[in-house]
Amino acid sequence: MTSPIISFVELTMNLQRMQFWPTIHRNEMNSTVVLSTDIPKGWGYLTLLAPQSLLCMRSNFLFGSRYWMIQFSAESFFKSVSFRLFGVKCDNEDSEPLENELLNNLLTMGVDVDMAKKRQPGVFNRIDVNEQDLKMFLMSKGASKEVIASIISRYPRAITRTPENLSKRWDLWRRIMASDLEVVKILERSPESFFRSNNNLNLENNIKFLYSVGLTRKCLCRLLTNAPRTFSNSLDLNKQMVEFLQEICLSLGSSDPIDFVRKIIFKNPFILIQSTKRVKANIKFLQSTFNLNNEELLVLICGPGAEILDLSNDYAKRNYKNIKEKLFSLGCTEEVVQKFVLSYPDLIFLGDKKFNDKIDCLIEEKISILQIIETPRILDSSINTLKSRIKELVNVGYNLSTSNIALLSWSQKRYKAKLKKLNIVLGN
């Protein structure tokens, strides 16, 4: 069976790198040069065609064959060309693995080849790869060999970018980021953000547009750090969201849509990668659920409620319904529930089980529901953190039912310092 023809933009051949000496035959009828040689067992029958300036490859997989024929048109065979040799291996238990230059280079660089192949296997079928150029470029920007290996392992498509493309893209990112090191840190955390697209013109247009609508460099830096996919969006898509937010602002009675958009994007950098339909549904949910007038809604979505705007609307509704039911079961009124959630809208991010388990954990430790209502941030802590801290505080004689429970949500450093003071004050 013949596989589809694969076209090459650039194909170079160096017979010495193949480490075989072919036999050359000339066909007088069609001016074709035929090269033949033995190839490792388990390889297929390969034909290379080079009519005029185009070279194509066709492979016929004749299992067990040890014959390789390469055909070139006579007029182009002697042109100076070179190519990176890739092996095509048949599914044969007796097949011997053939090392190729790309795999050797990646392994030498410390790349997890198995991970890379699982993530983007198509990269290993391409000839337009520049792993050495990528390595040298990133090292020149301060990236360590370990970071470079990690980037390629997790996002192997990075090796298909040309030095020219990398340099241009880097310069565009530096219009936002203060140093090369900051860019390297983003690539280390999320290599896809930099290498996902090679459309530098789109990136440049997005940067210009976002600056033009009043976003500061600090705001763009936050976008690039937290939601870099924003800059891979089409320009039209980003324009659509910004214009939508400006319309929302005006419809709610505000006269400063630029400031409104800036505040929302700074509070929620992910909003530009969401659909206007989702954001509109969540704004409607907030206004109807909490009976907010236009002014109250503006304050909410420009402030603590901004992060909710990119949630799935069904997820937000389901979580709020669970919060109501759980607190109703503990004697709270709807007014109390609404004030509780509005004081800390991030509660809507908590799924059913997490919210219920944390409430139950606190109630079991003699912490009243009123204390929880007054200190909603303690629900940010994990169950394990809540349990371990409650145990430590009880052991030093701290009365949780009558004392401030805010320390259950403090940072570890701040909490440990407080615990040390309590040990001294309470005589332990």
Side-chain angles (χ1 to χ4, degrees):
M1 182 180 293
T2 302
S3 67
I5 290 178
I6 307 169
S7 296
F8 294 84
V9 177
E10 194 176 351
L11 181 62
T12 42
M13 173 171 290
N14 184 331
L15 295 176
Q16 290 179 343
R17 288 176 61 192
M18 294 182 187
Q19 297 180 347
F20 70 83
W21 295 97
T23 304
I24 302 177
H25 310 279
R26 180 176 179 120
N27 187 328
E28 299 294 342
M29 297 295 293
N30 55 16
S31 298
T32 300
V33 174
V34 178
L35 292 82
S36 64
T37 186
D38 280 352
I39 62 172
K41 185 178 180 181
W43 278 62
Y45 171 84
L46 302 177
T47 303
L48 287 179
L49 305 174
Q52 297 179 353
S53 61
L54 179 65
L55 292 173
C56 300
M57 176 179 282
R58 184 184 66 195
S59 60
N60 292 334
F61 294 98
L62 304 177
F63 299 112
S65 171
R66 293 180 57 79
Y67 185 78
W68 186 346
M69 182 172 73
I70 308 176
Q71 297 178 324
F72 299 87
S73 84
E75 62 180 318
S76 61
F77 172 69
F78 294 103
K79 289 183 179 178
S80 175
V81 292
S82 63
F83 82 113
R84 183 194 293 273
L85 176 63
F86 280 85
V88 180
K89 187 171 66 176
C90 300
D91 293 331
N92 188 324
E93 291 182 0
D94 298 326
S95 297
E96 298 176 3
L98 181 67
E99 293 182 348
N100 63 53
E101 185 183 349
L102 173 61
L103 289 179
N104 283 338
N105 285 344
L106 294 180
L107 289 169
T108 301
M109 291 164 65
V111 172
D112 186 334
V113 173
D114 289 337
M115 178 192 292
K117 282 186 174 181
K118 285 179 182 177
R119 294 196 173 207
Q120 292 170 346
V123 170
F124 294 86
N125 297 326
R126 298 177 62 164
I127 62 167
D128 56 333
V129 290
N130 308 286
E131 72 283 357
Q132 295 292 0
D133 290 332
L134 175 66
K135 175 184 173 182
M136 296 305 295
F137 178 83
L138 291 178
M139 288 183 70
S140 74
K141 301 301 183 182
S144 68
K145 292 180 180 179
E146 292 75 18
V147 167
I148 294 169
S150 175
I151 287 171
I152 299 174
S153 299
R154 289 177 292 137
Y155 202 77
R157 195 177 298 162
I159 66 174
T160 66
R161 303 299 180 233
T162 65
E164 295 77 13
N165 182 276
L166 291 172
S167 181
K168 174 65 175 176
R169 198 164 191 82
W170 196 277
D171 290 343
L172 289 171
W173 275 45
R174 280 300 309 275
R175 292 185 185 180
I176 300 171
M177 310 305 292
S179 68
D180 287 340
L181 184 59
E182 288 184 5
V183 179
V184 170
K185 285 181 178 179
I186 296 177
L187 267 62
E188 183 179 3
R189 187 178 68 251
S190 174
E192 180 182 2
S193 63
F194 187 87
F195 297 106
R196 183 171 183 259
S197 171
N198 62 356
N199 190 339
N200 289 332
L201 180 60
N202 184 66
L203 170 61
E204 186 172 13
N205 288 337
N206 271 322
I207 292 173
K208 289 178 179 177
F209 168 69
L210 293 172
Y211 272 133
S212 74
V213 296
L215 298 189
T216 62
R217 180 172 179 170
K218 183 179 180 181
C219 193
L220 262 67
C221 182
R222 182 169 166 78
L223 277 175
L224 200 53
T225 303
N226 294 283
R229 227 179 77 197
T230 299
F231 297 90
S232 296
N233 280 351
S234 69
L235 179 61
D236 287 342
L237 200 61
N238 283 335
K239 282 184 175 180
Q240 184 181 13
M241 178 57 80
V242 169
E243 289 169 359
F244 167 75
L245 292 175
Q246 290 174 336
E247 289 172 4
I248 290 292
C249 171
L250 295 173
S251 70
L252 295 177
S254 173
S255 58
D256 194 352
I258 291 178
D259 185 58
F260 176 80
V261 170
R262 184 168 55 243
K263 285 179 179 178
I264 287 185
I265 293 177
F266 191 78
K267 287 282 186 179
N268 185 354
F270 302 99
I271 196 166
L272 288 172
I273 57 177
Q274 302 300 333
S275 69
T276 55
K277 181 180 178 181
R278 171 177 289 192
V279 175
K280 185 176 183 179
N282 283 327
I283 290 175
K284 184 178 180 180
F285 159 72
L286 290 173
Q287 186 165 32
S288 61
T289 300
F290 299 104
N291 301 314
L292 303 173
N293 59 38
N294 288 351
E295 185 178 351
E296 291 169 335
L297 183 59
L298 270 173
V299 172
L300 179 63
I301 62 180
C302 279
E307 293 184 0
I308 296 173
L309 299 181
D310 68 302
L311 272 179
S312 159
N313 188 245
D314 288 340
Y315 183 74
K317 287 179 176 179
R318 184 169 64 250
N319 288 351
Y320 180 69
K321 181 182 178 183
N322 175 70
I323 291 171
K324 278 206 312 182
E325 290 176 352
K326 183 65 178 177
L327 296 186
F328 281 177
S329 71
L330 294 170
C332 297
T333 64
E334 183 152 2
E335 183 182 0
V336 169
V337 173
Q338 287 187 355
K339 286 182 179 179
F340 175 56
V341 176
L342 285 175
S343 68
Y344 194 58
D346 282 6
L347 292 169
I348 294 178
F349 284 91
L350 291 175
D352 301 8
K353 180 172 173 48
K354 280 189 177 181
F355 180 83
N356 293 345
D357 287 350
K358 289 178 182 182
I359 294 292
D360 291 340
C361 170
L362 295 168
I363 296 294
E364 287 171 6
E365 296 298 335
K366 313 302 181 187
I367 295 173
S368 70
I369 189 61
L370 180 59
Q371 286 176 287
I372 298 172
I373 294 293
E374 292 174 346
T375 322
R377 287 181 181 273
I378 62 172
L379 296 175
D380 278 343
S381 300
S382 68
I383 286 285
N384 289 337
T385 297
L386 289 173
K387 287 182 177 180
S388 64
R389 289 188 177 183
I390 288 171
K391 184 178 180 180
E392 288 172 338
L393 291 169
V394 169
N395 287 340
V396 299
Y398 191 78
N399 191 334
L400 288 164
S401 61
T402 59
S403 304
N404 184 5
I405 61 171
L407 72 174
L408 293 176
S409 63
W410 287 358
S411 68
Q412 183 71 356
K413 182 179 179 180
R414 186 182 178 192
Y415 168 74
K416 286 297 183 182
K418 179 66 174 179
L419 189 63
K420 186 177 180 179
K421 288 181 180 179
L422 288 173
N423 268 302
I424 296 171
V425 171
L426 298 175
N428 293 306

